[in-house]
Amino acid sequence: MDSQLGFPRAVGDLEFSPSTADCLTLDFGPFEVVHRWKRMQDCNEFVGTRRSKHTIVPYKNNVYIFGGDNGKKMLNDLLVFDCKGASWGRVPQGLNPPAPRYHHSAVVYGDSMFVFGGYTGDIHSNSNLTNKNDLFEYKFGSATWIEWKYSGRAPVPRSAHGAAVHDGKMYIFAGYDGNARLNDMWSISLTRNKDDAPHSWEEVEQGGDCPPTCCNFPVTVARGCMYVFSGQSGAKITNTLFQFDFHTKLWSRISTEHILRGAPPPPARRYGHTMVTHDRHLYVFGGAADNTLPNDLHCYDLDSQSWSVILPSPDSNVPVGRLFHASSVVGNAMYVFGGTVDNNVRSGDMYRFQFSNYPKCTLTEDLGKLLETKMFSDIDFLVGEDETQIPAHSALVAARSQFLRIRVRQAQEVREKLLEKKYGTTEIYKDLPSLEVRLPDANPEAFQLVLNFIYTDRIDPTKKIKDPISNRIVLLMMDVYRLACQFSMLRLEHLCVQYLETTVNHNNVLEALLCAHNLKLAFIKELCMKLIVRESNYNQIVMSQEFETLDQPLMVEIIRRKQLPQIKRAQEALHPFDGTNLEQDLELFLNHVGNDFCDITLVLDGNHIRAHKAILAARCGYFEGLFRSFMPEDGMVRIQIGEMIPSHQSFKSLLRYIYHGDTNMPPEDSLYLFSTPYFFHFTNNRLQAFCKQNLEMNVTCDNVVQILEAADRMQATDMKKYSLGLIVQYFPKVVKMPKTRTLSRDLLIDIMEALADEMSTKMCSDISTHHHLSSPTVHDTS
């Protein structure tokens, strides 16, 4: 335990038994600040030289580095870094290690490391330089190398390729054979054959959208798939993420879908970078990107299918940009070693990056499920001329669009008049008739996509229409754009513009132009016009059959536009993140906007808190079950967590988490809410994990008395003991704080007993030391 108050502490395992709710265990231990870069001990030159183009693999609590080059010669030494002890060592290799090499690959399977291929020879004298296709096994237990023999066809010798292990097989993909880049794939079983019979390689038949030929790229495996990102592909170099399914043997491209999610774009195209997997994320670091060496860390979330940039913690020691380094994951951390930095200098430093282990935020998934199941829907949209009935939830709709908020309020007023006329009151909480809002000019399919965005902040028109650039999708997205403009949903409006900019092309632009003209979408029409009159497109478009059947006024407009000098229009698309997102809208709805749309009252220690039934039910299994089985006649729900009523402040923190996923709160609130997931039944224990870290990192002299009170009330014995220890340690300061004077008699006695125990321990230690120093020396006289 660190003696400095407020110092970040451990995120240990969460332990809590719902059956014994009065006993919380927070399991304090050594803590690492999440997203912190830490420079570890450099590799001493006596152990191993600086290097790049090497490999690094994890085994138990160590990482092993093999080969590479130091700028003067190729290497074949084997180094080990003990991640727990943070120390370096040179590993004995026995007889017949692989020849010195770089740009090889290495993987771990069982208790062995397997090294394949790479470039070998004497780079200093420029002799015997060649690519290899040999395969070596290093057995960690016996510290011996074995070269594998295999029969039949084998991969061509190569370097700068990718390698991965899945289901007991090693997969080799792409690389450089000395003349050309490759994109073939081979596999070999890593289980030992009977009688030591030769192994055999098998070429893997690849289907789907295969990556281009490439080299100097990383691969990683997650969820039964192999992922490849960027690399050197000549003129085709790209920043596309490719996914290979080991079961179906099909590649798929993960490309511009980020546009419809409002997520940041992928990292810039690059080569010589690394990519590792942890939890549900892929992490990309370093490499050479457009003649720069960036040192930002990019993260791809496999669940949300979106990229983001990880901001390092304030106390981070971030490594400088580099390429041809190597990365590996041990436990909850990534280790990055070596590489080439500025001025072609080889590096020998090791960095550790601490991952976050928080469960994902399930806000969009929870609300998406609410839309899908239609549970507790209270409004029907009658869409189009045929009045297609589309159920929804008034709270979510009102939160995301000012236009729809007004329409919902108008529908409420109509219903209130009917209730007043029929029952003489509007205070009815059960069996209420649904609100009705008519949208006669809307396309039902487009409105359904808008609803998807309202609930999840994303849309995907390709779910029903598989071709992402088909004319039907382009026209549908124009309808979505029109509704976004009508509903004043700025973020959705700009997502549509971005999507149309990437999908409108010379094959569908005339149809898109006609649609934009008919729908009076001036911005989209201008986008189409610019594309048509572009020099590279114009002749092909006006000579097409589609142009012959175009409406005459549009035909004349195109020809005249082509004759006029190109003038830069002032109107340009705004930044894609203009407008508010789901979390921001729901935060505003909770604090201000949503007051007129509340349909449930939460009673907390006599205080009435108005809320929205659909949002509570979507996020909490407790409220879902309550509202489905028993809806109180007065619309009031009493709030407590087990036998404990939370403080008003902590319940506000809980509502912020429910409505918009906010995890920021005072540490004393975290103690109240630590056990909340077990009573309210959230989708996962994300809130609990944040509460725990908040407590461990933020107990200070200023709040330790409040934490002590909350811990005593919650019967969180270890937190109470921890707080008492800090109070004793900083007693002269804490005792002068006004809050200390308001403590109960029992807690003041607890503090006095803790002080007495501390003084007794110290006194015994002093007496023992004094006795030892003053005792006469006994000489052996035998």
Side-chain angles (χ1 to χ4, degrees):
M1 182 180 293
D2 199 285
S3 62
Q4 183 180 354
L5 279 170
F7 193 84
R9 296 189 46 79
V11 177
D13 295 331
L14 300 173
E15 296 180 11
F16 179 78
S17 172
S19 60
T20 56
D22 58 343
C23 182
L24 302 183
T25 302
L26 303 177
D27 187 24
F28 288 88
F31 177 74
E32 287 289 345
V33 176
V34 298
H35 296 166
R36 178 166 68 181
W37 284 102
K38 181 179 181 181
R39 183 164 182 172
M40 311 303 288
Q41 179 182 344
D42 289 357
C43 184
N44 190 294
E45 292 288 339
F46 293 105
V47 175
T49 184
R50 302 161 176 259
R51 68 194 66 207
S52 67
K53 306 170 193 168
H54 51 287
T55 55
I56 183 171
V57 297
Y59 180 68
K60 297 186 176 178
N61 290 314
N62 304 318
V63 290
Y64 291 81
I65 292 97
F66 176 75
D69 87 88
N70 62 6
K72 298 179 180 179
K73 65 177 182 177
M74 297 184 187
L75 308 168
N76 69 340
D77 53 346
L78 183 61
L79 312 179
V80 62
F81 180 77
D82 180 344
C83 299
K84 279 193 172 181
S87 60
W88 284 95
R90 180 183 285 271
V91 182
Q93 300 199 67
L95 302 174
N96 304 317
R101 62 191 63 206
Y102 65 68
H103 279 328
H104 51 287
S105 61
V107 298
V108 167
Y109 178 71
D111 293 316
S112 296
M113 174 177 66
F114 294 85
V115 172
F116 174 81
Y119 194 55
T120 185
D122 187 345
I123 54 176
H124 183 66
S125 63
N126 199 29
S127 62
N128 303 319
L129 296 174
T130 182
N131 284 312
K132 304 287 285 184
N133 66 348
D134 47 7
L135 178 62
F136 286 83
E137 176 185 4
Y138 179 79
K139 295 185 175 183
F140 290 110
S142 59
T144 55
W145 285 100
I146 299 172
E147 181 174 3
W148 280 34
K149 303 299 180 184
Y150 32 82
S151 59
R153 296 177 63 225
V156 298
R158 67 191 66 204
S159 57
H161 53 282
V165 171
H166 176 71
D167 196 23
K169 291 183 178 181
M170 181 179 188
Y171 287 80
I172 301 297
F173 176 69
Y176 183 67
D177 69 359
N179 295 306
R181 298 183 182 97
L182 311 166
N183 69 345
D184 56 342
M185 186 184 297
W186 295 76
S187 71
I188 188 170
S189 174
L190 297 180
T191 56
R192 187 158 296 283
N193 291 335
K194 291 182 179 179
D195 303 323
D196 288 332
H199 290 74
S200 59
W201 286 94
E202 178 184 357
E203 185 166 10
V204 179
E205 292 187 11
Q206 307 171 71
D209 198 350
C210 188
T213 56
C214 56
C215 63
N216 287 320
F217 59 91
V219 302
T220 191
V221 173
R223 300 181 177 180
C225 295
M226 179 170 69
Y227 292 87
V228 170
F229 176 73
S230 203
Q232 287 179 298
S233 304
K236 295 181 180 178
I237 186 170
T238 174
N239 65 341
T240 299
L241 179 66
F242 288 92
Q243 172 186 288
F244 177 76
D245 189 310
F246 287 109
H247 178 67
T248 63
K249 302 294 189 291
L250 294 177
W251 284 99
S252 56
R253 177 192 298 258
I254 304 172
S255 55
T256 57
E257 292 182 3
H258 68 277
I259 292 174
L260 294 181
R261 295 187 175 88
R269 61 186 187 180
R270 62 192 61 207
Y271 68 90
H273 51 296
T274 58
M275 180 167 63
V276 299
T277 305
H278 182 258
D279 192 25
R280 65 181 190 276
H281 300 117
L282 312 179
Y283 292 89
V284 172
F285 176 73
D290 298 324
N291 298 317
T292 65
L293 296 178
N295 68 340
D296 44 3
L297 181 64
H298 295 264
C299 173
Y300 182 77
D301 189 318
L302 294 168
D303 286 337
S304 66
Q305 296 185 319
S306 58
W307 287 97
S308 61
V309 176
I310 302 296
L311 297 177
S313 67
D315 58 345
S316 283
N317 189 349
V318 182
V320 298
R322 61 195 61 214
L323 77 162
F324 302 141
H325 51 289
S327 301
S328 188
V329 174
V330 175
N332 295 324
M334 173 176 68
Y335 291 83
V336 176
F337 175 68
T340 302
V341 295
D342 278 338
N343 299 318
N344 208 29
V345 173
R346 300 324 191 251
S347 167
D349 48 17
M350 172 75 84
Y351 285 87
R352 181 186 192 275
F353 178 79
Q354 177 66 35
F355 294 121
S356 66
N357 243 356
Y358 305 126
K360 67 178 180 179
C361 179
T362 61
L363 180 66
T364 57
E365 286 86 348
D366 293 339
L367 297 181
K369 183 181 177 184
L370 182 70
L371 175 63
E372 183 181 342
T373 62
K374 317 297 185 202
M375 180 177 59
F376 306 118
S377 61
D378 60 352
I379 186 168
D380 290 325
F381 287 95
L382 305 177
V383 184
E385 295 179 358
D386 297 334
E387 293 197 338
T388 302
Q389 182 176 322
I390 301 178
H393 302 83
S394 57
L396 270 301
V397 170
R400 301 302 312 272
S401 164
Q402 184 178 5
F403 173 89
L404 293 176
R405 190 182 309 146
I406 294 170
R407 299 298 301 274
V408 171
R409 191 67 194 117
Q410 291 170 347
Q412 284 179 331
E413 291 170 358
V414 171
R415 185 174 68 179
E416 286 170 1
K417 288 179 182 178
L418 290 174
L419 292 174
E420 185 71 40
K421 184 177 180 181
K422 186 173 181 179
Y423 300 106
T425 179
T426 60
E427 299 297 320
I428 297 175
Y429 297 95
K430 295 182 70 175
D431 303 321
L432 273 174
S434 291
L435 302 170
E436 287 189 350
V437 172
R438 284 175 170 78
L439 300 171
D441 297 331
N443 173 348
E445 194 175 9
F447 181 74
Q448 188 65 59
L449 285 174
V450 173
L451 273 186
N452 288 339
F453 179 82
I454 283 174
Y455 285 70
T456 67
D457 238 10
R458 65 188 66 162
I459 50 176
D460 189 359
T462 63
K463 279 190 174 180
K464 292 184 178 179
I465 309 170
K466 296 303 180 185
D467 183 0
I469 58 173
S470 73
N471 287 9
R472 190 181 161 207
I473 284 191
V474 170
L475 301 181
L476 179 61
M477 289 301 295
M478 286 192 184
D479 266 321
V480 174
Y481 173 76
R482 182 174 66 86
L483 291 177
C485 296
Q486 181 184 349
F487 297 165
S488 302
M489 298 173 67
L490 190 61
R491 185 178 175 87
L492 177 57
E493 180 183 333
H494 291 287
L495 290 179
C496 292
V497 169
Q498 269 205 310
Y499 184 77
L500 290 170
E501 284 178 333
T502 62
T503 52
V504 173
N505 54 48
H506 63 273
N507 293 320
N508 58 29
V509 67
L510 292 177
E511 192 171 358
L513 175 68
L514 179 60
C515 180
H517 177 74
N518 292 336
L519 294 175
K520 297 181 173 57
L521 304 178
F523 187 87
I524 304 300
K525 181 179 176 182
E526 178 63 23
L527 185 153
C528 295
M529 279 290 188
K530 286 181 177 179
L531 183 67
I532 292 169
V533 300
R534 193 177 298 161
E535 199 67 41
S536 56
N537 296 332
Y538 182 73
N539 287 340
Q540 184 180 358
I541 291 172
V542 298
M543 296 300 289
S544 65
Q545 290 184 350
E546 290 82 1
F547 187 78
E548 295 175 9
T549 60
L550 191 65
D551 289 356
Q552 187 179 6
L554 284 176
M555 196 180 293
V556 172
E557 194 173 344
I558 290 171
I559 294 171
R560 286 177 175 171
R561 172 66 74 89
K562 181 62 178 173
Q563 302 306 316
L564 294 172
Q566 296 298 308
I567 301 173
K568 281 196 172 182
R569 303 258 167 168
Q571 185 185 24
E572 294 291 344
L574 299 180
H575 192 277
F577 301 112
D578 284 351
T580 50
N581 60 23
L582 177 65
E583 289 83 358
Q584 291 166 331
D585 285 339
L586 286 176
E587 180 179 7
L588 189 64
F589 194 70
L590 172 65
N591 294 333
H592 306 290
V593 177
N595 294 336
D596 293 338
F597 303 92
C598 295
D599 54 4
I600 197 78
T601 301
L602 307 176
V603 182
L604 177 68
D605 202 19
N607 296 305
H608 288 191
I609 302 169
R610 301 281 285 156
H612 307 86
K613 184 166 65 176
I615 296 175
L616 296 177
R619 296 281 280 147
C620 308
Y622 167 79
F623 286 114
E624 178 191 342
L626 177 67
F627 298 151
R628 290 177 71 169
S629 61
F630 173 72
M631 184 62 203
E633 292 288 346
D634 58 0
M636 293 189 181
V637 177
R638 274 69 184 173
I639 294 297
Q640 61 185 53
I641 301 174
E643 300 300 319
M644 183 269 302
I645 297 175
S647 69
H648 195 265
Q649 174 184 280
S650 64
F651 189 69
K652 282 188 173 181
S653 293
L654 177 63
L655 282 181
R656 290 197 302 273
Y657 176 78
I658 291 173
Y659 273 73
H660 52 94
D662 184 22
T663 55
N664 296 312
M665 64 186 74
E668 51 268 33
D669 289 7
S670 293
L671 192 58
Y672 279 112
L673 300 181
F674 179 76
S675 60
T676 303
Y678 294 101
F679 294 100
F680 285 112
H681 304 296
F682 294 125
T683 307
N684 61 24
N685 66 345
R686 177 179 173 85
L687 176 62
Q688 190 180 48
F690 272 97
C691 285
K692 184 172 186 298
Q693 190 210 351
N694 193 17
L695 285 168
E696 292 164 341
M697 291 182 65
N698 297 304
V699 180
T700 67
C701 283
D702 296 329
N703 62 32
V704 68
V705 174
Q706 289 93 321
I707 295 293
L708 175 67
E709 284 187 311
D712 182 63
R713 187 174 179 181
M714 290 286 294
Q715 297 183 26
T717 54
D718 60 338
M719 193 68 222
K720 181 178 178 180
K721 183 178 179 182
Y722 178 60
S723 300
L724 286 170
L726 292 176
I727 289 173
V728 168
Q729 187 172 357
Y730 294 93
F731 186 74
K733 181 176 181 180
V734 175
V735 75
K736 296 176 183 178
M737 297 177 64
K739 182 65 180 174
T740 308
R741 298 177 180 274
T742 66
L743 283 173
S744 69
R745 179 176 178 275
D746 288 342
L747 284 179
L748 287 172
I749 291 175
D750 287 338
I751 293 175
M752 291 173 64
E753 288 179 348
L755 273 170
D757 289 343
E758 175 70 14
M759 292 175 66
S760 175
T761 302
K762 188 175 181 182
M763 191 178 299
C764 290
S765 176
D766 290 345
I767 292 173
S768 175
T769 303
H770 176 74
H771 177 75
H772 173 73
L773 293 175
S774 60
S775 296
T777 303
V778 179
H779 297 282
D780 186 0
T781 58
S782 57

